[in-house]
Amino acid sequence: MTDVFLLLSGLLTGAVRILAGLILIHRLLSVKKPGGKSIAAGLFGTMALTVLMSLLHLPDLCRMAVEAVLISFCTHWLQKADLRMSLFVSVFYETALSFWQFLLAAGLGALFRAQDLLSPQTMAGQGAVWLLHGLLAALAVYLSQKEIERKTAFRAVSAAALAGFLAVITLSEQTVLDIPGDTLYMWTILSVVLMMSVLVFNINRQYEVEKELAKLKSEQAELLERDYTAINRAYQVNARLFHDFHNHIGVLRQFLIHEKYGDAVRYLDELQAPVQNLTATVWTGDETADYLINSKTAAAEAADIRFQVQVEFPRHTNIRSVDLCAILGNLLDNAIEAARQAPERSERTVSLTIRRIHQMLVIKVENSFAAAPVQENGELKTTKTEGGLHGWGLKSAQTAAEKYDGMVQTSVSGEIFRAVATLSYEAEEY
């Protein structure tokens, strides 16, 4: 009867550990939620492991190692987690569970003066096991329903690791239970290792975030360089016009003196041709942004896209031209690319609206599309397959918006995709 109970207990506690591990990695590494395949693979694996351990009487160290590998397998192949980081988290997750199982059993044993609590093979020991797994199940439910900020999670885990270290030091001073000195020494060393692992994990996550931000800045600079090239060409056209202005005036004067009005009109048309796409009445007050909007307008018209612009822009703000262009350029590029794919020309539309509301600037870009965008892990997945810079547009715009305590939000309403960037700004006096 005892063997059957221990087998059932092992199956249930193993299932709790596996499910909690999958959810923990989902939160810590920001990967896909555990799906049916991931959960089924984990449960099947822990059932087979529990039965095998019961038959072969394998030590707990084998169970910990195999469970860590099993969790890593499920999260990597089925939840698309990084294999190295998922294995790192799984190993220290299993180590932490065994550590806290020992602390809980020893603490209760010292409190109730019951040596049996230290042995999981006894009924008293099973009570300690199920108390830990009950707390673990509650934590898993909490994590599955609520997101936790990285700093908050780091502080909580650090506090738990420090509490474990202090607890094992305290246990070494008690005289109620007979705990071998080697066992206490081993858990003391492991508690230090667990504290170091938390620190290493946090440093690694900060490095990953900084690396992604550096990549975003690089991609943003590359995108801006492309737009600035077009803007510089526009400036050069204007510069040539102004440089030769007195010559053009002289030619026109001669045409008018000799009453060659037709020649004068044709000459004016030739002068207007290079800049006719830059004379739209869309002015933000920022010359760089003005030329960018007008160049995107010309690109949309070339692709038979109906482009509408409504701008109400505050003058003299702390919003830098490079950040404004990063947001406008990326949102408009995405909108034009999506609208261009619409099969019917009459359905190709893009609209840009810029409004100021008190000290808030709202930039809204709407466009039609051929196929609704796909979300993956809470982010829009690019429909382009040739790699390169694709997929970084919204991230780059988001990075620029965050400099002004803002954000970029996307939504789909019917046949229209909408991206809205909000920025807080401060007026500057000149």
Side-chain angles (χ1 to χ4, degrees):
M1 181 66 179
T2 304
D3 291 340
V4 174
F5 174 78
L6 291 176
L7 178 61
L8 291 175
S9 177
L11 290 172
L12 293 175
T13 54
V16 171
R17 286 192 300 273
I18 292 294
L19 292 176
L22 297 178
I23 294 172
L24 181 66
I25 292 181
H26 156 62
R27 287 303 187 196
L28 289 180
L29 302 184
S30 300
V31 297
K32 293 170 58 178
K33 287 185 178 180
K37 291 182 179 179
S38 181
I39 294 174
L43 293 180
F44 178 79
T46 193
M47 288 174 59
L49 174 61
T50 303
V51 173
L52 189 63
M53 286 191 61
S54 178
L55 294 176
L56 301 180
H57 302 287
L58 298 174
D60 279 347
L61 185 61
C62 292
R63 174 193 59 77
M64 291 169 56
V66 175
E67 281 188 357
V69 172
L70 179 60
I71 293 173
S72 301
F73 169 82
C74 294
T75 52
H76 174 63
W77 277 279
L78 300 175
Q79 294 176 231
K80 306 304 180 182
D82 178 74
L83 180 59
R84 178 177 58 86
M85 288 305 301
S86 63
L87 185 59
F88 177 89
V89 174
S90 299
V91 168
F92 285 102
Y93 165 71
E94 289 288 337
T95 303
L97 285 182
S98 296
F99 175 58
W100 278 99
Q101 179 63 64
F102 165 75
L103 289 180
L104 189 58
L108 292 174
L111 180 64
F112 295 106
R113 298 179 178 273
Q115 186 76 28
D116 289 348
L117 280 165
L118 290 174
S119 175
Q121 305 301 319
T122 63
M123 295 301 292
Q126 281 295 303
V129 169
W130 271 105
L131 178 58
L132 174 68
H133 285 77
L135 295 174
L136 183 62
L139 177 62
V141 171
Y142 178 79
L143 291 177
S144 65
Q145 296 179 349
K146 184 176 181 180
E147 293 188 9
I148 302 178
E149 293 183 359
R150 186 172 60 85
K151 289 183 178 180
T152 303
F154 173 67
R155 291 171 183 170
V157 175
S158 298
L162 180 60
F165 174 75
L166 296 176
V168 75
I169 295 298
T170 303
L171 280 175
S172 65
E173 301 297 327
Q174 62 84 36
T175 57
V176 177
L177 298 180
D178 182 20
I179 303 176
D182 290 345
T183 300
L184 286 172
Y185 180 73
M186 177 192 69
W187 286 120
T188 301
I189 296 299
L190 282 177
S191 67
V192 175
V193 172
L194 284 173
M195 287 192 293
M196 294 300 297
S197 69
V198 173
L199 182 61
V200 169
F201 177 80
N202 186 61
I203 292 174
N204 180 78
R205 295 302 291 171
Q206 287 181 340
Y207 169 74
E208 293 294 334
V209 170
E210 290 175 0
K211 185 170 70 172
E212 183 174 357
L213 286 175
K215 190 171 184 179
L216 276 173
K217 290 180 180 178
S218 175
E219 305 294 354
Q220 179 179 339
E222 202 166 331
L223 289 167
L224 285 173
E225 183 180 358
R226 180 194 62 192
D227 290 330
Y228 273 121
T229 300
I231 291 168
N232 285 333
R233 284 199 297 267
Y235 277 127
Q236 291 172 5
V237 170
N238 278 344
R240 286 196 298 269
L241 279 176
F242 284 109
H243 181 268
D244 298 333
F245 185 73
H246 64 285
N247 295 326
H248 297 311
I249 291 296
V251 173
L252 287 171
R253 185 172 183 275
Q254 291 300 315
F255 281 141
L256 294 175
I257 289 175
H258 295 88
E259 298 183 353
K260 296 181 179 180
Y261 304 119
D263 292 338
V265 171
R266 284 190 293 271
Y267 192 81
L268 286 172
D269 289 339
E270 291 176 3
L271 289 178
Q272 188 184 14
V275 292
Q276 60 183 353
N277 291 328
L278 302 176
T279 58
T281 56
V282 178
W283 304 114
T284 64
D286 183 290
E287 291 184 348
T288 304
D290 290 337
Y291 281 115
L292 178 62
I293 294 174
N294 286 300
S295 66
K296 301 303 180 187
T297 303
E301 291 175 353
D304 291 325
I305 298 173
R306 189 169 67 257
F307 196 98
Q308 297 177 337
V309 181
Q310 293 182 342
V311 173
E312 179 188 341
F313 196 85
R315 298 296 182 94
H316 307 314
T317 69
N318 64 324
I319 300 176
R320 298 171 59 215
S321 296
V322 65
D323 296 323
L324 184 60
C325 285
I327 298 171
L328 286 173
N330 284 297
L331 296 187
L332 291 175
D333 280 343
N334 289 346
I336 292 172
E337 178 64 28
R340 183 184 286 116
Q341 298 174 8
E344 299 294 334
R345 293 185 177 182
S346 60
E347 298 175 354
R348 300 175 184 174
T349 61
V350 172
S351 69
L352 167 66
T353 305
I354 301 179
R355 287 286 181 268
R356 56 178 179 177
I357 303 175
H358 301 298
Q359 296 300 110
M360 183 76 67
L361 185 68
V362 180
I363 301 173
K364 180 173 66 174
V365 178
E366 297 176 309
N367 63 270
S368 57
F369 53 82
V374 179
Q375 283 198 346
E376 186 175 288
N377 299 331
E379 296 182 354
L380 290 176
K381 184 178 180 181
T382 179
T383 57
K384 302 172 185 177
T385 58
E386 62 268 30
L389 303 180
H390 303 314
W392 291 96
L394 286 176
K395 289 185 178 181
S396 183
Q398 177 69 29
T399 301
E402 287 174 354
K403 295 180 181 180
Y404 305 92
D405 298 324
M407 65 179 66
V408 177
Q409 297 177 303
T410 60
S411 62
V412 177
S413 178
E415 301 298 323
I416 297 296
F417 176 82
R418 181 179 297 106
V420 180
T422 55
L423 299 82
S424 297
Y425 69 87
E426 296 177 1
E428 294 184 347
E429 295 182 1
Y430 284 80

